[in-house]
Amino acid sequence: MNLKFLSLNIGVMLLSVEAGAQQRFVDVDALIARMSLEEKIGQMTQIDLGVIARGSICNLEKPQNLDSQKLTTAISMYHIGSVLNVGCGSGAMSLERWRSIVRQIHRENQRLSRLNIPIIYGIDAIHGANYTLGSTLFPQQIGLAATWDTALVRKVFAASAYETRAAGTPWNFSPVLDLARQPLWSRFFETFGADVHLSSSMATAAIKGLQGDNPASPYHVAACMKHFLGYGFPLSGKDRTPAWIPDRELRAYFAPPFQAAIKQGAMSVMINSGAINGIPVHANADIMSGLLRREMGFEGVAISDWEDIQKLLNVHHVAADLKDAVRMSIEAGLDMSMTPNDFAFCDLLAELVREGRISERRLDSSVRRILIMKARLGLFDTTIFGDEIYPDFGSEKHKNLSFEAAAASLTLLKNNADVLPLKNKERVFVCGPAAHSMHLLNGAWSRTWQGNDTSFHHDNRKTIAASLRNYLGPERVLDDAACADRKSLLRMAAKSDKIVVCLAEDPGTEIPGNIDDLNLPRAQQELVTALSKLGKPIILVCCFGRPRIIHETAKQAEGILYAYLPGDEGGRAIAACITGRINPSGRLPFTYPRTANEFVNYDHTASEEIHTDFSNTAYRPEFDFGAGLSYTRFRCDTMVVSQEALGDGDSVEVRVQISNTGNKSGTETVQLYYRDPVASITPAVKKLIAFRKISLEPQTRGTLRFVLYKEDFALVNRNLKKIAEPGIITLQVDRFKHDINIH
Ligand code: GLC
């Protein structure tokens, strides 16, 4: 039996009975009735670990330790309800240290607080419990999206939840549900890509994995879908700069992944730091209350992003002073402030209530949502579980899951003359920035915020070069490690049969991750150009968080393997792919731009195809959305549609037969698109509506079945209503097209 809510007129009673685990009732409204104003405001306050740790803000003692006086102030004077993060400016801690710190916070809260409302610890476990030493680092989300495998992605998020809860941190600021439609954006890698349907499908999988059927279990956490919304589409491509997104596009593109997460029961949301159409989202009631709650039905906790109330004053300049900023964000619908470095929020909100400018009743609605989240997590019963129940923390089992996900993400974009996989006895020369690196495989949010502290990434047994050596033996793998200069590198490369160049970009996220030029860094371009003069086949391995422009460099390569940011097991997965132990099956979750100024996504409109010569050839990405090759060959044989018409309550079945005509087993992702030739809104030339993977042995075939409903073809119209308009829709799989009539 899972969680059941009994909503009574005296408030919300929570009855949570999980097999064998009886949790006590939490009468949220009765608890609120007993709370002082300051205690209510405390529940709405989240502080960084640094505020209660030894050392100064963003310059803490290492490793992190609590400061008992600061902790006493936070609990006794400010009644804080939440702590977050690993400590601004600090790096990952051991599992033991995490558990000790979390236990001490709970112990002091029990000793000092009047009502003993549990403090909830929030953390960014972005690709595994990245701030806990020894945890499993999985591929970043963009690579998970490239697997097109929602069942696998759900397992990854479940394993991440397991290792996150083990540390006593039951609230994960994940998943990122922003759409990556601006390749310059520094957080492109944190998303599930550019497509509405793929991102929405992955959002559902992520929430299922993180929260499970009962978030009170020791192996699940509260998810926090972020950053609501439109954060990933800044005009300039620079993080936290203005986005101009009309209401219709906001609902047609950027809201659906969050809607999918809400439908799956996401327990919290983090608000976008930026501004949309000139209004900071943290001060926009139309978005935070209108769209998020009334239109989309979200009932969970809305937390700010880092210092975003202060940013209304000092970045967006819409508030005259901090008190005004507090008022604006609370009136707009914010539940909790990630302050996170001081208590000004508490003092100012108390003033606003005492002055009658914010009602205490308004605070009650936020406190209720926060207490319900804590109760659903079982925190009133168990704030931290015994470490003996986490045997899989950092286990081989989780590492192998990370390897499986990394392997499934690898996207083969070019394979001229079957240059890959390597053939028997071929010698390979490995070079490039990512060849001997672990931190370049992980990217940001890896042991430190920016992921660039290599002291945390010392497991050099698992780099791409080391992994290739493990598979092929030292005699077949040459590398650039001992090459002091370009001349010696070329001399070494000349001894090989094929050359693998491991390209990368510096780890980085948010504003530190901003770049001015999407082109592959010049030094890497020059390296490939120099190697190309040797006349040996070159294979590029791209460990990128965002699609760096490789148009000229790609011409110099016979093979291109796009690896995204594949995590700690990425080196092993890349080597397994290059040596043929795995057959790549990843498919691009975004449109790969050909030049640094062509940001046209695959679901563009007809007008974006008109070339300078007025032909319809302007859309020419380097690689298309959904692209990816295999070491075998797949052929779509037939597409059969069950009926020609689709009305209310109807469904249409689409059967697609696929053959593996090659000599290796492999996995294909069948993608079902549609085109609306005429609509009340300028229609996209194609849009993904369904996808499914199929694994086939050589010379075998299989059939996939899709069932579609009229509402699957709905668009957001001029009146912001989601409707499926009557008319012809063209379904497309591979080269097959079939019209159906929506009525
Ligand atoms: C950061 C990020 C957000 C993260 C939060 C807490 O600024 O924007 O994604 O969850 O702060 O670390």
Side-chain angles (χ1 to χ4, degrees), residues 132-144:
T132 307
L133 294 173
S135 68
T136 309
L137 293 182
F138 293 95
Q140 296 280 5
Q141 275 188 212
I142 195 68
L144 297 180

Side-chain angles (χ1 to χ4, degrees), residues 12 59 157 232 478 531 544 558 578 587 606 624 726:
V12 175
N59 186 19
F157 276 91
L478 307 172
L531 287 163
F544 297 156
E558 296 308 306
I578 288 175
R587 296 290 179 268
D624 210 341

Side-chain angles (χ1 to χ4, degrees), residues 84-85 124 173 187 190 226-227 231 240 270 273 305-306 338 445 510:
L84 88 143
N85 201 24
D124 294 284
F173 300 139
R187 307 187 74 171
E190 295 181 50
K226 67 184 187 180
H227 309 73
Y231 176 34
R240 289 177 164 85
M270 189 178 293
S273 290
D305 200 340
W306 192 276
M338 183 189 296
W445 303 105
E510 302 189 50

Side-chain angles (χ1 to χ4, degrees), residues 598-655:
E598 277 181 291
F599 296 158
V600 180
N601 284 295
Y602 90 93
D603 54 354
H604 56 270
T605 61
S607 64
E608 295 170 279
E609 295 190 332
I610 302 172
H611 198 17
T612 48
D613 60 3
F614 293 98
S615 66
N616 289 334
T617 58
Y619 177 63
R620 42 185 193 154
E622 194 65 44
F623 303 104
D624 210 341
F625 173 80
L629 303 173
S630 173
Y631 289 156
T632 189
R633 302 280 183 275
F634 291 106
R635 186 187 63 224
C636 185
D637 300 320
T638 60
M639 170 188 174
V640 177
V641 179
S642 64
Q643 59 197 57
E644 311 295 323
L646 193 56
D648 290 335
D650 288 346
S651 65
V652 61
E653 181 189 79
V654 181
R655 284 179 177 273

